[in-house]
Amino acid sequence: MPRLARLRSVVVDCPDPRALARFYAEIVGGQPDDQDPEWVVLQVPDGPRLVFQLSEGHTPPEWPRADRNAQQFHLDLDAGSTWEQVDLVEKRVLSLGAKVLQREKSEGDDFRVYADPAGHPFCLCRIEEQ
C-alpha cells in the first residue's frame, strides 16, 4: 500500500515540557530544543520526533483503567534482548523519576510497564535478537 504521509511527531501533553523532554532524552537520546517552554521538541536518533506540549491542569492517565481517564497511548521502548539488560535500563529510568506500574510478568510477556514523571505509561520491552 502506498504511503500517504510520513510520521513526523508524537505529541505528548504534560505539565512541564522541558522536564519531560529531558527525561525522555536520557532514555532514547537526542537533545531537546526547548527554546519555547510550551512546545519542546526532542528529535530521537533514528526515530520520529517526540514533542512535549504544555497542558495546564494536566491529569495523567490511570493505567490500566478504561472507565475513567484511560490511557490514550503509550510508548514501547526496546531495552535489550535479556532480562538482565532490561533490569539495568529499569534502574536508570527509575532513578530519572519513572514509577513502576506493572513489573510482574504473565507467561509470554516481554515487557514491563512504567509511568513517566508526568504519569504517561511506557513499556520497557525485551526484544528477541534477530
Side-chain angles (χ1 to χ4, degrees):
M1 175 177 282
R3 175 170 75 177
L4 298 178
R6 182 177 64 87
L7 177 62
R8 179 177 187 206
S9 304
V10 175
V11 181
V12 180
D13 289 350
C14 61
D16 186 345
R18 285 181 171 152
L20 200 56
R22 286 191 301 267
F23 172 82
Y24 279 104
E26 288 288 331
I27 297 170
V28 299
Q31 180 66 39
D33 177 354
D34 63 358
Q35 295 175 38
D36 179 350
E38 295 184 6
W39 181 264
V40 178
V41 176
L42 174 63
Q43 180 61 58
V44 176
D46 301 319
R49 302 179 333 163
L50 291 177
V51 179
F52 303 92
Q53 173 176 262
L54 179 64
S55 174
E56 301 289 345
H58 171 74
T59 303
E62 295 181 34
W63 187 90
R65 294 182 66 160
D67 60 333
R68 186 175 58 87
N69 203 22
Q71 161 184 269
Q72 296 173 8
F73 77 97
H74 73 269
L75 299 174
D76 283 345
L77 305 173
D78 292 339
S81 60
T82 68
W83 286 114
E84 291 77 16
Q85 291 170 316
V86 175
D87 289 341
L88 292 173
V89 175
E90 176 184 75
K91 285 181 184 178
R92 182 72 174 127
V93 299
L94 294 176
S95 75
L96 294 169
K99 292 180 175 55
V100 175
L101 294 179
Q102 178 185 329
R103 190 171 195 280
E104 64 278 353
K105 300 186 301 279
S106 299
E107 187 174 335
D109 283 353
D110 62 354
F111 61 91
R112 296 176 186 161
V113 185
Y114 305 84
D116 68 25
H120 303 101
F122 70 94
C123 295
L124 293 180
C125 301
R126 182 183 61 81
I127 58 171
E128 296 290 331
E129 288 196 26
Q130 302 291 332

